[in-house]
């Protein structure tokens, strides 16, 4: 059984064939540059009355924005602040996406207000005018680096350690939203998915970050399962990840970076009999789950392991998975370095704002 660092990420094909993608990527780059020049001049930028912290990235999906936002919410709430989250809410149903529901569920006694809609400005104004948003004093933008319509006081950019900055291809020729030069407008850069890269790759990326950003990354983090949860007839039981040791399992995920989920599963379980790695935000309906459950039964799996993010969509239809026990992985970021520096930056922003007021 290899460790997570032994698991090489699978290469991703371009979204479109090269003959079509390359000219479209050039058009995309021109429009991106025009749009950024407009925002650089302050045109169309809205300033809110409270501090705004943005968590974003340069590439598409799976870099760790949701667990990073979760960590920032814990830091803020730990010192008595009242944060809310604003996000696009990709494929949201009933006003909430899977990520939005995760943010709400973190603090069941006092849920975090969440705006999940394309027009985040309008959604935030509606929240501020409501009873739920009356005490909000800081906004955290989930996936906000390219959403420049809202002025931000702290811009945090996450970079996947396995996606070199020397190999950037813009959409739709590749999976990058912006070139590495965009790091110049970030306030802090964090390297994630350190568990999927070796020290040399992380050092190379750190040097590239310094070249474009002016400073080395403020922190380096890895994705790690901190606990498991098992739905039972008596409620949800929280367990140590060691419960998977020696067990034959089937994995199911519909996330942006399935390699990380797969690596954790192979590290923790005895045998991964089958992994269903579906596209990010794929609907996990009863038909899909019945198919997964049937395969798990046929293979004699002792558990079906799903991501915490996917459980939000699975829960209403969980019975379709059959009798095989379900294990929900709770994902967190474990910092190799820089956690304290980043936390001080977040809390320091609030203190500076209080002093100005």
């Amino acid at each position: 059984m290899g460790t997570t660092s032994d698991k090489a990420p699978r290469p991703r094909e371009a979204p479109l064939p090269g003959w079509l993608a390359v000219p479209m990527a050039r058009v995309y780059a021109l429009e991106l540059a025009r749009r950024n020049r407009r925002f650089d001049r302050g045109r169309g930028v809205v300033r809110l009355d409270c501090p705004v912290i943005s968590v974003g990235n340069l590439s598409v999906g799976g870099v760790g924005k949701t667990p990073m936002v979760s960590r920032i919410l814990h830091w803020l709430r730990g010192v008595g602040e009242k944060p809310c989250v604003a996000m696009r809410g990709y494929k949201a149903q009933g006003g909430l996406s899977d990520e939005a529901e995760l943010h709400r569920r973190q603090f069941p006694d006092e849920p975090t207000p969440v705006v999940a809609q394309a027009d985040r400005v309008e959604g935030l104004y509606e929240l501020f005018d409501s009873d739920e948003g009356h005490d909000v004093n800081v906004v955290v933008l989930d996936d906000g680096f390219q959403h420049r319509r809202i002025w931000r006081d702290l811009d945090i950019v996450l970079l996947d350690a396995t996606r070199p900055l020397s190999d950037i291809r813009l959409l739709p020729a590749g999976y990058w939203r912006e070139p590495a030069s965009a790091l110049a407008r970030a306030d802090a850069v964090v390297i994630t998915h350190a568990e999927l890269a070796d020290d040399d790759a992380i050092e190379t990326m750190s040097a590239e970050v310094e070249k474009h950003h002016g400073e080395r990354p403020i922190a380096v983090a890895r994705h790690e399962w901190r606990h498991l949860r098992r739905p039972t007839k008596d409620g949800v039981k929280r367990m140590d990840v060691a419960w998977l040791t020696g067990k034959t399992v089937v994995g199911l995920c519909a996330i942006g970076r399935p390699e990380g989920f797969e690596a954790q599963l192979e590290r923790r379980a005895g045998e991964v009999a089958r992994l269903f790695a579906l596209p990010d935000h794929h609907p996990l309906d009863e038909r899909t789950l019945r198919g997964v459950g049937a395969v798990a039964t046929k293979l004699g799996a002792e558990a079906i392991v799903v991501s915490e993010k996917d459980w939000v969509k699975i829960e209403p239809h969980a019975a379709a998975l059959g009798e095989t026990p379900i294990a929900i992985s709770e994902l967190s970021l474990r910092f190799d370095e820089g956690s304290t520096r980043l936390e001080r930056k977040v809390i320091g922003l609030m203190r500076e704002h209080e002093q100005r007021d």
Side-chain angles (χ1 to χ4, degrees), residues 82 113 126-137:
K82 302 293 184 181
E126 291 174 357
L127 174 65
F128 296 151
D129 287 338
S130 70
D131 291 339
E132 183 186 26
H134 183 265
D135 294 329
V136 168
N137 67 346

Side-chain angles (χ1 to χ4, degrees), residues 345-356:
K345 206 170 188 69
V346 170
I347 303 305
L349 169 66
M350 301 305 299
R351 299 296 171 258
E352 290 173 9
H353 191 267
E354 291 170 3
Q355 291 173 4
R356 288 198 299 269

Side-chain angles (χ1 to χ4, degrees), residues 25-184:
R26 290 173 183 154
V27 174
Y28 174 86
L30 290 171
E31 174 58 23
L32 179 66
R34 184 200 66 79
R35 179 177 177 274
N36 278 331
R37 285 194 299 269
R38 179 171 174 266
F39 284 124
D40 288 342
R41 293 193 291 268
R43 293 183 180 178
V45 179
V46 176
R47 286 181 179 260
L48 302 178
D49 292 334
C50 61
V52 175
I53 300 170
S54 169
V55 176
N57 59 1
L58 297 186
S59 59
V60 174
V63 76
K65 294 186 298 295
T66 300
M68 177 58 78
V69 169
S70 172
R71 181 63 64 93
I72 290 172
L73 292 176
H74 276 89
W75 287 339
L76 291 169
R77 292 179 65 132
V79 294
E81 307 296 350
K82 302 293 184 181
C84 75
V85 176
M87 60 197 307
R88 180 175 178 264
Y90 184 72
K91 292 191 177 179
Q93 297 180 357
L96 283 180
S97 66
D98 42 14
E99 293 101 336
E101 187 63 17
L102 269 182
H103 293 318
R104 282 188 176 275
R105 292 185 179 193
Q106 280 187 77
F107 308 95
D109 295 335
E110 187 182 349
T112 301
V114 178
V115 170
Q117 63 186 65
D119 191 336
R120 300 186 214 191
V121 174
E122 180 182 353
L124 283 168
Y125 284 154
E126 291 174 357
L127 174 65
F128 296 151
D129 287 338
S130 70
D131 291 339
E132 183 186 26
H134 183 265
D135 294 329
V136 168
N137 67 346
V138 54
V139 174
V140 182
L141 295 179
D142 186 330
D143 197 9
F145 193 56
Q146 287 78 35
H147 189 84
R148 298 189 64 188
R149 188 182 170 201
I150 297 178
W151 172 268
R152 65 286 318 277
D153 301 88
L154 179 59
D155 228 336
I156 302 170
V157 173
L158 311 184
L159 294 175
D160 185 330
T162 69
R163 294 175 175 171
L165 295 178
S166 58
D167 189 31
I168 287 182
R169 289 176 292 169
L170 295 179
L171 290 166
Y175 287 88
W176 291 84
R177 296 170 172 179
E178 294 195 73
S181 58
L183 292 174

Side-chain angles (χ1 to χ4, degrees), residues 1-2 29 62 98 116 129 134 175 180 195 199 216 230 253 265 275 278 299 305 313 316 323 328 331 343 351 354:
M1 185 70 62
D98 42 14
D129 287 338
H134 183 265
Y175 287 88
E195 79 281 3
D199 292 343
R216 290 175 67 84
R230 269 202 60 200
C253 66
L265 195 58
L275 172 65
L278 304 177
L299 296 176
V305 184
K313 294 179 290 186
E323 298 299 320
I328 306 160
L331 178 66
E343 181 179 3
R351 299 296 171 258
E354 291 170 3

